[in-house]
Amino acid sequence: MKRTSLGDHPCSIARTLDVAGEWWTPLILRDVAYGVRRFAEIQEDLGISANVLSDRLDGLLAEGILERRPYQQRPERHEYHLTEKGAELIPPLLALMQWGDRWKWSGQRGPVRVTHDECGHQVHVEVRCEHASARCGQASCGQRREPASCRPPLSINPGAFPRGGSCRRARVVSLEG
């Protein structure tokens, strides 16, 4: 079944999901970030079919999220590595992991802990104000559309977004626990 592209949607979350939200893609990114970088290793770790894995890797390569590096000449074989663009997807994946740890595991503790190499302490993702460096919760964070993003593209249902360039303020959900 062919899915509808979100690449032109006037929302950064939708556009990100268009690239990294397809079934298996976040788990492939997780594996590569954790050092599982060869096709057969990723396939074995995830239990994913070769054609689906190949399709997802091709998409991540085309998007510039992963790059291939040769590790063997004959026959030629490659490993997959995160690019700078791909590495910037790790904090959102960690935020999803934190949510899953809290809400999908008894005792609010999942099976994996991500730690800082230098000090050994657990890594935690949170939303902070870039100006005041204060932690933001749902009650203290809001969203404002930039004027150019208020007009929906022609391919999107016009009734789904504000009309005529007037932007409304909306509340957003934070990562606060």
Side-chain angles (χ1 to χ4, degrees), residues 36-57:
V36 181
R37 297 192 171 112
R38 297 179 181 179
F39 188 96
E41 293 171 347
I42 297 169
Q43 184 181 18
E44 181 181 342
D45 187 60
L46 297 178
I48 186 175
S49 69
N51 62 327
V52 172
L53 178 57
S54 181
D55 182 57
R56 297 303 184 273
L57 289 170

Side-chain angles (χ1 to χ4, degrees), residues 15 18 30 36 64 67 71 74-75 87 90 102 107 126 141 147 151 156 171:
R15 290 179 181 207
D18 195 60
R30 176 207 64 192
V36 181
E67 64 184 12
Y71 71 87
R74 292 186 181 202
I90 299 309
R102 178 167 182 190
E126 59 185 31
C141 289
R151 291 178 305 264
I156 302 294
R171 303 310 287 168

Side-chain angles (χ1 to χ4, degrees), residues 67-113:
E67 64 184 12
R68 289 179 359 157
R69 296 181 192 165
Y71 71 87
Q72 180 179 308
Q73 298 303 322
R74 292 186 181 202
E76 186 174 8
R77 296 181 189 241
H78 296 88
E79 292 182 325
Y80 297 90
H81 291 263
L82 294 170
T83 62
E84 180 182 359
K85 185 178 182 181
E88 288 190 13
L89 284 169
I90 299 309
L93 291 177
L94 291 176
L96 284 172
M97 186 178 94
Q98 281 177 210
W99 184 91
D101 287 351
R102 178 167 182 190
W103 296 104
K104 301 307 287 182
W105 292 91
S106 63
Q108 296 185 3
R109 185 171 173 91
V112 174
R113 291 284 164 256

Side-chain angles (χ1 to χ4, degrees), residues 104-167:
K104 301 307 287 182
W105 292 91
S106 63
Q108 296 185 3
R109 185 171 173 91
V112 174
R113 291 284 164 256
V114 177
T115 58
H116 184 224
D117 286 340
E118 290 182 27
C119 71
H121 287 91
Q122 186 173 328
V123 173
H124 180 77
V125 179
E126 59 185 31
V127 177
R128 292 193 166 273
C129 171
E130 69 180 28
H131 174 72
S133 294
R135 187 173 180 189
C136 298
Q138 180 180 358
S140 63
C141 289
Q143 162 219 333
R144 289 194 182 99
R145 290 187 185 267
E146 294 295 324
S149 69
C150 291
R151 291 178 305 264
L154 296 176
S155 61
I156 302 294
N157 176 1
F161 301 99
R163 297 175 188 227
S166 65
C167 294

